[in-house]
Amino acid sequence: MDQQNIIKVETLKLEFDDGTAFDFNDINFARGKVTGIIGANGSGKTTLVEAILGLKKPKESKIWINGIDQKQFFNSVEHRLGLGSQLQIFAFSELVKVREMVALHKALYKKQSQKIYDDLAIGEISGKRLDKLSGGQKQRVNLYMALAHMPQLITLDEPSAALDKAMAEKLINLLKYLVDEQNCSILLITHHPYELDICDEILTILGGTKGYHVNRAQFIETIIGKFHGQIFIPEGQDAKAIETKISHLKHVKSHLRKHDQIDIYGDDGLEADFLTLIKNFDLNSYSFAQTNSADILKISTQIAG
Amino acid sequence: MSLFINLAAIDLKSYFRNSMALFFTFLFPVLLLILLMLAFGGERAVSKISIQLSGDSARAGKYMQDMGYILDNSPRKLFTIQKLTSQTPPSKSAVWVDVPSDLSKKISITIGEDLSYGTSTSIYALMLVNAMGEIGYEKWDYLLNIVKANENSNQTGFKYGQYLIPGLIGMILISTSLFGFCVFLVEQRAKGAFKAYHLYPMEKWKFLAAFAVTRFLILVAFSFLFLVVADWVYDQGAIYSLALVGKLLLLISLGAIAFLSIALLISARIMAVGMVTGIANLVFYPFTFASDLYIPQEGFPEFIKTIANLFPLGPFSQAMRDITYHGANLGDIGYALGLLSIWAVVCFIATVILFKWTKD
């Protein structure tokens, strides 16, 4: 068994009827860590995870899950006991009651965590049918089915989508607990900064292939830059001249322009460069801060590995 | 085992919470039955037939006179009539009406050997009864008992409904399986509902068996309900005994499992929702047309008859008719039971091998 990696994707090629193709190579998901999978819509995040889970038929693949060949893994009921997946689509029969789903989970896994039941507040909706639940409540049930047996490997696809802020915070704490206390490994597809905050590693997907795959701190320091400056160009100001100047600044790693707003990312010396820029162009509207998860999400859709 | 029971229980509860499914499974077929009875109870193309009457009492004489009047004045000239004497053997191609002197006794109508137990024969008899009613005989003055000639049987008679009802049950079992359950499975797969099942720690056969058991219970419940209601409303004369219920339960169960397995097999690999109805029709129509329910098999070439008898619907309906109304034993319907078992086992095993959780 690979002690370091819970999943090893040596090669994975997929082709669909509409001509879309995906090609992933050498991706290792670390055991006992949260790996955030990020990228623009349609880049292939869900396709990658669903292909790993055997839900998409690849043209070619060499994948190991927990040291076991992917096909063997999914052919064995015993192996699947250690897997918990929350998929984007929760298409269970709408006429089932939540307590019946809980009973089904019990029958499937023989093991349920009271903490997860309580944290996701399943008790307060247990008597309701799925078709009577809100989107957020359905998502809680979906998450319960994926997490309640505290599986070794968890895959989550935008887990806090539709959850209110309080529940989203509870979920984040729960995921931390599962990794820190229960040694679970999590693959987390996300578009939310607060989900990305708990990720140990980040995998970026760009145009159907692997971008960067490094730990979070490394991603910020070496790829994006520790600091983030933002300027708003006033009307009449020559934006092109400002952009040209930015590209020549020593400590800038990258910059992104959207209409009258420019985001600048860079390393330790960026602050001085940024202040010079502000002064030279007499800019009044700006901000400067440490790079955070929101920046990672913003820039990850723009950069290739 | 608990997982299997759990899956089946969830599925069954969901089904009974679906008012539309309940309507189309249980109520709609009963409404259909009423409509069909109304539609087929009237005009019908028939061939000529002779009626022979026997009985020496005054009452019998009056009966014959009245019946003769009806037949003479019938605009369709469907019948010829002759009085049967002890010297006249009953014709092989006639309906023979035996009129008792005592009204408390049953009027017996015997169908000639050369006449099939087909629908038209019983319709003639029912038309006669209706006609007698129109000239003053009270509806309940007599009770028809129609038996096959030379057959020593005390069973209650053969009527049109007795032909129709088992056929309808068979047809509804297969149509519900194909257009209800099979289409449902393909739709669920297209929606991505089965992705989770692929990831759950359970064998595929458990899901399929739980689904089949649930639907099987629904179909069996429907069949008995339909049979009892139809018999009660239309007074078809089935005599329900423990033995009959047991025989029916076995036959209906095998039929339901066979039809379900066929439906499951179709759903196993059809991925497109738009395609499944077409494929279901490809199965439904040959099965139905070959079943003797719409088109009499008598006119089929021999090789078509042989193929048709390998399809499950015809033998199922005939077997149900035989055990419900003609007192047939399990041995008498052995062919149907064997055939249905083969369809059920082969199709279910093939389904477990071929069924896919996802369309990709």
Side-chain angles (χ1 to χ4, degrees):
Chain A
M1 189 193 291
D2 188 336
Q3 295 298 328
Q4 273 197 320
N5 301 307
I6 186 88
I7 295 174
K8 194 172 164 62
V9 179
E10 195 175 301
T11 180
L12 174 62
K13 294 183 200 300
L14 298 115
E15 274 180 21
F16 296 100
D17 293 341
D18 61 359
T20 324
F22 299 90
D23 190 352
F24 301 102
N25 292 297
D26 297 322
I27 304 175
N28 297 322
F29 292 95
R31 190 182 292 277
K33 307 264 186 209
V34 184
T35 303
I37 303 171
I38 58 176
N41 291 328
S43 58
K45 303 181 297 294
T46 298
T47 302
L48 168 66
V49 172
E50 291 200 350
I52 289 170
L53 294 174
L55 294 168
K56 304 268 184 209
K57 194 178 174 186
K59 193 180 161 200
E60 187 187 332
S61 74
K62 271 188 187 169
I63 299 169
W64 288 268
I65 301 172
N66 211 11
I68 299 153
D69 175 75
Q70 183 210 33
K71 284 188 184 70
Q72 282 177 23
F73 183 91
F74 285 104
N75 282 336
S76 156
V77 168
E78 205 176 311
H79 290 144
R80 277 180 278 157
L81 280 167
L83 173 68
S85 290
Q86 169 260 320
L87 302 171
Q88 236 174 20
I89 298 167
F90 183 56
F92 217 86
S93 168
E94 290 278 285
L95 301 170
V96 175
K97 287 187 176 175
V98 174
R99 66 164 162 265
E100 290 160 1
M101 294 295 292
V102 173
L104 174 64
H105 182 279
K106 175 89 175 167
L108 283 165
Y109 297 99
K110 316 276 185 268
K111 174 183 163 188
Q112 284 178 323
S113 157
Q114 187 61 39
K115 176 179 169 51
I116 290 168
Y117 185 88
D118 294 338
D119 284 2
L120 292 171
I122 297 298
E124 66 188 43
I125 53 171
S126 70
K128 287 188 178 178
R129 272 169 28 178
L130 296 183
D131 62 346
K132 307 289 178 199
L133 300 181
S134 68
Q137 288 172 323
K138 270 186 204 168
Q139 183 73 329
R140 278 152 57 189
V141 179
N142 194 1
L143 286 164
Y144 179 82
M145 294 299 286
L147 304 176
H149 50 297
M150 296 193 288
Q152 228 183 331
L153 172 62
I154 298 167
T155 72
L156 304 169
D157 197 340
E158 299 183 47
S160 61
L163 296 184
D164 59 44
K165 196 166 181 294
M167 188 51 71
E169 277 173 14
K170 272 190 185 175
L171 173 68
I172 296 301
N173 290 331
L174 193 56
L175 296 181
K176 277 188 204 162
Y177 161 81
L178 286 168
V179 174
D180 297 342
E181 308 289 325
Q182 303 296 326
N183 200 31
C184 299
S185 310
I186 301 179
L187 270 63
L188 173 62
I189 296 174
T190 182
H191 288 293
H192 297 287
Y194 49 85
E195 287 176 356
L196 203 59
D197 283 343
I198 61 159
C199 292
D200 303 297
E201 295 198 345
I202 291 170
L203 169 66
T204 63
I205 305 292
L206 195 75
T209 190
K210 174 184 154 185
Y212 289 102
H213 188 186
V214 290
N215 71 51
R216 190 174 179 281
Q218 214 180 343
F219 192 85
I220 289 174
E221 281 182 27
T222 62
I223 297 160
I224 302 180
K226 280 162 74 178
F227 297 100
H228 170 211
Q230 193 172 53
I231 56 173
F232 298 92
I233 304 160
E235 221 172 319
Q237 191 87 307
D238 186 356
K240 198 128 184 127
I242 298 174
E243 263 196 289
T244 309
K245 178 70 182 169
I246 289 170
S247 61
H248 287 99
L249 290 173
K250 190 180 168 193
H251 298 285
V252 170
K253 279 185 170 293
S254 63
H255 73 276
L256 298 171
R257 181 181 162 202
K258 197 174 182 188
H259 309 300
D260 62 346
Q261 179 188 321
I262 302 179
D263 292 287
I264 307 159
Y265 297 92
D267 55 25
D268 284 332
L270 180 68
E271 191 172 3
D273 281 355
F274 186 75
L275 290 172
T276 309
L277 182 78
I278 298 298
K279 201 174 168 188
N280 288 352
F281 286 91
D282 198 20
L283 299 167
N284 298 317
S285 186
Y286 57 87
S287 66
F288 192 84
Q290 284 197 330
T291 300
N292 58 26
S293 293
D295 299 317
I296 296 174
L297 287 166
K298 193 188 284 180
I299 206 160
S300 66
T301 59
Q302 315 284 331
I303 52 170
Chain B
M1 193 62 186
S2 72
L3 174 60
F4 174 78
I5 292 169
N6 212 288
L7 285 165
I10 282 184
D11 196 40
L12 196 61
K13 283 178 190 171
S14 299
Y15 198 87
F16 278 94
R17 286 173 190 149
N18 185 341
S19 52
M20 288 302 279
L22 287 179
F23 171 80
F24 281 108
T25 308
F26 291 98
L27 193 57
F28 181 71
V30 174
L31 293 175
L32 189 70
L33 173 74
I34 294 166
L35 285 172
L36 281 172
M37 290 296 280
L38 289 172
F40 286 100
E43 291 293 311
R44 180 112 176 162
V46 290
S47 55
K48 285 203 171 184
I49 192 168
S50 70
I51 305 288
Q52 295 177 317
L53 302 170
S54 70
D56 296 324
S57 67
R59 177 73 189 173
K62 177 76 169 56
Y63 184 96
M64 287 176 219
Q65 192 185 340
D66 289 345
M67 190 172 277
Y69 176 82
I70 290 164
L71 296 174
D72 286 345
N73 289 286
S74 166
R76 303 198 43 188
K77 300 286 180 200
L78 293 173
F79 314 103
T80 58
I81 187 165
Q82 72 174 98
K83 187 174 176 184
L84 190 69
T85 66
S86 51
Q87 284 77 39
T88 319
S91 163
K92 283 191 167 187
S93 58
V95 174
W96 174 27
V97 183
D98 190 12
V99 186
S101 55
D102 180 357
L103 269 184
S104 66
K105 291 181 183 171
K106 294 172 181 175
I107 291 176
S108 175
I109 294 186
T110 304
I111 299 170
E113 271 184 312
D114 290 352
L115 290 173
S116 72
Y117 252 44
T119 312
S120 57
T121 313
S122 58
I123 283 181
Y124 294 140
L126 289 171
M127 285 170 72
L128 275 176
V129 172
N130 286 338
M132 295 297 286
E134 281 171 20
I135 59 163
Y137 283 84
E138 286 298 321
K139 191 177 175 187
W140 304 112
D141 276 355
Y142 41 79
L143 178 66
L144 279 176
N145 181 30
I146 305 175
V147 293
K148 200 169 184 176
N150 304 325
E151 189 177 295
N152 183 20
S153 170
N154 292 322
Q155 75 199 59
T156 315
F158 180 92
K159 301 179 187 180
Y160 175 57
Q162 294 173 3
Y163 188 83
L164 180 72
I165 294 163
L168 271 179
I169 288 176
M171 222 172 70
I172 292 165
L173 288 186
I174 195 162
S175 65
T176 308
S177 298
L178 290 173
F179 300 106
F181 306 153
C182 172
V183 172
F184 169 79
L185 286 173
V186 175
E187 281 175 349
Q188 289 297 302
R189 183 196 287 119
K191 276 166 61 184
F194 295 150
K195 283 182 176 179
Y197 287 109
H198 166 75
L199 304 173
Y200 288 156
M202 69 174 187
E203 295 89 348
K204 208 180 339 179
W205 72 263
K206 277 190 184 166
F207 168 81
L208 292 168
F211 181 85
V213 164
T214 306
R215 281 3 195 218
F216 157 78
L217 290 174
I218 291 164
L219 290 179
V220 170
F222 154 75
S223 302
F224 272 95
L225 178 77
F226 190 83
L227 195 61
V228 171
V229 168
D231 203 73
W232 177 60
V233 172
Y234 296 103
D235 188 24
Q236 297 303 302
I239 300 162
Y240 290 99
S241 63
L242 203 59
L244 176 61
V245 170
K247 284 187 280 185
L248 277 174
L249 187 62
L250 179 67
L251 177 68
I252 291 172
S253 299
L254 277 176
I257 294 170
F259 298 139
L260 271 168
S261 298
I262 293 165
L264 285 172
L265 181 57
I266 294 171
S267 75
R269 283 294 169 118
I270 306 291
M271 301 296 146
V273 178
M275 213 175 142
V276 65
T277 314
I279 302 287
N281 274 327
L282 271 179
V283 175
F284 179 74
Y285 284 115
F287 277 17
T288 309
F289 285 128
S291 67
D292 201 31
L293 292 173
Y294 291 126
I295 305 166
Q297 270 194 4
E298 287 157 18
F300 288 179
E302 274 310 310
F303 80 96
I304 300 270
K305 271 190 208 173
T306 308
I307 294 169
N309 282 327
L310 294 174
F311 291 167
L313 186 56
F316 170 81
S317 305
Q318 184 60 51
M320 183 181 271
R321 205 174 293 137
D322 289 345
I323 57 174
T324 311
Y325 300 114
H326 307 142
N329 293 313
L330 289 181
D332 303 329
I333 59 164
Y335 174 75
L337 296 177
L339 184 72
L340 292 168
S341 303
I342 291 169
W343 274 97
V345 171
V346 171
C347 290
F348 189 78
I349 291 172
T351 304
V352 172
I353 294 166
L354 296 172
F355 190 86
K356 285 188 77 179
W357 292 114
T358 60
K359 61 189 168 90
D360 292 323

